[in-house]
Amino acid sequence: MTDYGELLKIHRRRLHMIPELDRELPETKRYLLSVLEELDCSLTFMCGSGICAYFDKGKEETYAFRADMDGLPIQEVNSCDYRSTHDGKMHACGHDGHMAMVLTLGQYVNTVSDTACNVLLIFQPAEETLGGAEEICKSGILERYNVTRIFGIHMWPFAEAGAIVSRPGALMPKSAEINIDIYGRAAHGTAPYEGLDALYIGSDYVKKVYARHARLTGAVPRFADGVGDIPAAPQRRPEDKTIIHIGKMTSGYARNIVSDYTHLLGTVRAFSEENFRMLIDILKNTLAEEAAEYGCDTDFSNSDGYPPVINDETLYREVTPILESLPGGYRELADPLMISEDFSFYGLYAPAVFFLLGTGTGISLHSVNFDFDESVLLSGFELYRRLLAHEPQPARG
């Protein structure tokens, strides 16, 4: 009898030792292929190191299960015997666990003949950067194999070990990067009026943007209750949540010189395109006002970013009995999360549901000491196993 718990542990630890970045994942791809090439499946390669493995079970519909492959440019500090062997690179976001669950699912699918569906396993590069999910979706492979539903799991440190959590509808927001440049004029610090202080203008800009954002319904507060001078706006629905965050300011080059240039980097997040555009308008309009007031030049740009992760509500309700029967437990989230994920692209092509798998550690994603007990992976594997055995329900009405 196959010990799937041991397989999950072996796969996760071997993958954890060889983290690679973006689309250049030769060792990761080689390891996955060492398993997949022994299975009765058709392999398709795309997106750099991406692999899609198709198991034809003679059914009309195909269910897809996605795992992201890439690591992060982080130096691991853990002292475990399976720590990263690639200096400055680490699986600090659980992608090694995601791959282990989907790879082990493939080994399971290979042993069974009676499933509710054909199976497509998607091993996707470039989740931590940009473009991986979108490129795979645009390749046409989902249509080629008649994928009618797509599932994915992400490790989550803030849920009980082995518990699955999710929610119908909005789960994660649309996210995009913002870049702001303010051009002033240098002068000696003893005569600042002879220059144009880009550092001051940048600071003024940030405070005005935050104050205006705070007036929007559902704006995530900048400070805890009772701290700071920016009041928190009310929230009608969890999906009203929005964020504007400036995380980095670079300005000036000497302590006694007026700064002639300020560069700001940040992010915006929202659950609807309407709210997203509202945030971008706040940023652009406030910058235009600063330029007019101080007579400075400015530039603004933003990335397209990821769409929001919206769990298909019909599919979610259909699989809820499976969730409620899981031995590791299930909890439905009251509020969506504010992290982002490019799994969102798959939901634009087929009904999709994304789940979180608790590690119970409280160690944040992207931490230098991120780790978890592989026993929790059995809960994710069991969820996948039950989902592929679940017959689709006919539409009502």
Side-chain angles (χ1 to χ4, degrees), residues 107-352:
Q107 292 176 292
Y108 169 76
V109 171
N110 200 60
T111 68
V112 296
S113 57
D114 186 20
T115 61
C117 55
N118 307 316
V119 179
L120 181 68
L121 307 182
I122 301 172
F123 296 93
Q124 175 215 309
E127 190 280 325
E128 297 291 355
T129 50
L130 283 173
E134 185 176 21
E135 182 175 331
I136 288 175
C137 288
K138 287 182 175 179
S139 73
I141 195 166
L142 304 179
E143 294 85 355
R144 184 193 319 163
Y145 291 125
N146 190 32
V147 172
T148 58
R149 52 189 65 191
I150 304 175
F151 302 103
I153 293 176
H154 201 297
M155 309 306 297
W156 188 240
F158 307 110
E160 302 81 4
I164 297 289
V165 299
S166 192
R167 72 189 305 272
L171 180 65
M172 297 178 181
K174 176 180 175 66
S175 171
E177 297 171 343
I178 52 174
N179 309 280
I180 299 108
D181 296 293
I182 299 170
Y183 303 94
R185 185 172 63 255
H188 198 277
T190 57
Y193 47 83
E194 294 181 353
L196 186 59
D197 193 344
L199 192 155
Y200 178 90
I201 298 169
S203 301
D204 187 51
Y205 172 74
V206 171
K207 289 202 69 174
K208 287 179 179 176
V209 163
Y210 283 168
R212 291 172 181 180
H213 173 238
R215 293 197 286 269
L216 296 183
T217 298
V220 172
R222 292 230 53 85
F223 300 102
D225 289 344
V227 178
D229 60 353
I230 301 178
Q235 175 184 304
R236 289 193 298 265
R237 305 174 306 147
E239 293 79 4
D240 291 333
K241 285 186 176 181
T242 59
I243 285 178
I244 296 178
H245 176 68
I246 307 297
K248 185 176 182 179
M249 172 190 280
T250 305
S251 188
Y253 50 88
R255 70 177 69 235
N256 61 344
I257 301 296
V258 172
S259 171
D260 63 354
Y261 173 66
T262 292
H263 182 53
L264 301 168
L265 298 175
T267 182
V268 294
R269 304 193 178 202
F271 288 95
S272 70
E273 191 64 32
E274 178 184 5
N275 283 346
F276 177 79
R277 295 312 318 172
M278 194 181 305
L279 301 183
I280 296 298
D281 286 345
I282 288 174
L283 289 157
K284 286 183 173 181
N285 293 340
T286 305
L287 190 61
E289 291 173 13
E290 294 289 306
E293 180 176 354
Y294 293 102
C296 60
D297 291 329
T298 63
D299 286 320
F300 177 89
S301 65
N302 64 272
S303 66
D304 292 334
Y306 300 156
V309 176
I310 307 294
N311 282 337
D312 184 89
E313 297 204 25
T314 300
L315 178 56
Y316 177 91
R317 294 304 180 196
E318 183 182 317
V319 303
T320 295
I322 293 175
L323 298 172
E324 293 174 343
S325 70
L326 291 172
Y330 172 72
R331 175 166 57 86
E332 186 168 294
L333 295 170
D335 291 341
L337 306 176
M338 295 308 290
I339 62 172
S340 62
E341 235 282 356
D342 75 353
F343 182 84
S344 54
F345 284 104
Y346 296 99
L348 303 179
Y349 287 78

